[in-house]
């Protein structure tokens, strides 16, 4: 998702582009290929504008989530990581367990295999999500991992 597309969607939703929101949007775009925590987003935002606080970050994350513009992932410790959606079409991700880098899988490899399972179970499938977790090539080079 590019900057203008995101701004257009926010404006259509009736959102004002405050200086704080602009910083948050710019940071999410800068990190659009990796997952980012609220703490990291807040620290990066404060480096650009010390007046930004956690409440502002949370409100904007909530807004973007409600608008289906953010992908979120729960971590093993119960926290959440976020990134802007990369596509509006259905897809899945390969995620680095160390740095959070994400690569989209531009097709759905599991739909054909699940169709008969779902049909036989009597369920009506509403959604599914596939995440492949591993180490990216850059993190594989780190001997301390």
């Amino acid at each position: 998702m590019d900057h203008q597309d995101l701004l257009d969607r926010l404006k259509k939703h009736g959102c004002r582009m405050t200086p704080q929101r602009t910083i948050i949007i710019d940071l999410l775009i800068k990190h659009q290929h990796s997952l980012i925590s609220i703490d990291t987003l807040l620290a990066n935002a404060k480096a650009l504008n010390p007046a930004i606080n956690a409440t502002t970050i949370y409100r904007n994350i909530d807004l973007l989530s409600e608008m289906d513009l953010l992908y979120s992932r729960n971590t093993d410790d119960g926290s959440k990581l976020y990134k802007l959606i990369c596509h509006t079409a259905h897809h899945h991700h390969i995620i680095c367990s160390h740095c959070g880098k994400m690569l989209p899988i531009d097709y759905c490899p599991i739909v054909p295999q699940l169709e008969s399972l779902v049909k036989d179970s009597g369920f009506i499938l509403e959604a599914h999500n596939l995440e492949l977790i591993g180490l990216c090539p850059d993190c594989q080079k780190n001997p301390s991992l």
Side-chain angles (χ1 to χ4, degrees), residues 96-136:
C96 180
S97 60
H98 180 71
C99 70
K101 183 185 299 179
M102 294 181 72
L103 297 175
I105 302 170
D106 292 328
Y107 64 96
C108 185
I110 60 177
V111 170
Q113 289 79 10
L114 286 180
E115 287 175 354
S116 64
L117 173 66
V118 171
K119 182 180 175 185
D120 294 344
S121 72
F123 275 76
I124 296 173
L125 188 63
E126 295 175 344
H128 68 270
N129 186 22
L130 173 68
E131 294 178 343
L132 303 175
I133 312 295
L135 287 174
C136 71

Side-chain angles (χ1 to χ4, degrees), residues 56-107:
T56 302
I57 300 291
Y58 279 105
R59 278 192 197 129
N60 280 279
I61 290 296
D62 288 346
L63 171 69
L64 294 169
S65 294
E66 288 170 15
M67 294 176 62
D68 294 323
L69 297 175
L70 279 185
Y71 170 85
S72 66
R73 179 174 182 267
N74 294 322
T75 63
D76 292 339
D77 67 4
S79 62
K80 274 194 170 184
L81 300 173
Y82 300 91
K83 74 177 260 344
L84 287 174
I85 61 167
C86 45
H87 299 292
T88 54
H90 177 77
H91 68 285
H92 302 285
H93 294 105
I94 301 171
I95 304 168
C96 180
S97 60
H98 180 71
C99 70
K101 183 185 299 179
M102 294 181 72
L103 297 175
I105 302 170
D106 292 328
Y107 64 96

Side-chain angles (χ1 to χ4, degrees), residues 4 6-15 17 67:
Q4 192 58 48
L6 190 53
L7 293 178
D8 291 345
R9 288 181 187 213
L10 287 165
K11 286 178 185 175
K12 285 180 187 174
H13 196 71
C15 298
M17 287 309 297
M67 294 176 62

Side-chain angles (χ1 to χ4, degrees), residues 36-45 54 57-58 79-82:
I36 188 169
S37 69
I38 294 285
D39 292 340
T40 301
L41 188 58
L42 178 60
N44 288 335
I57 300 291
Y58 279 105
S79 62
K80 274 194 170 184
L81 300 173
Y82 300 91

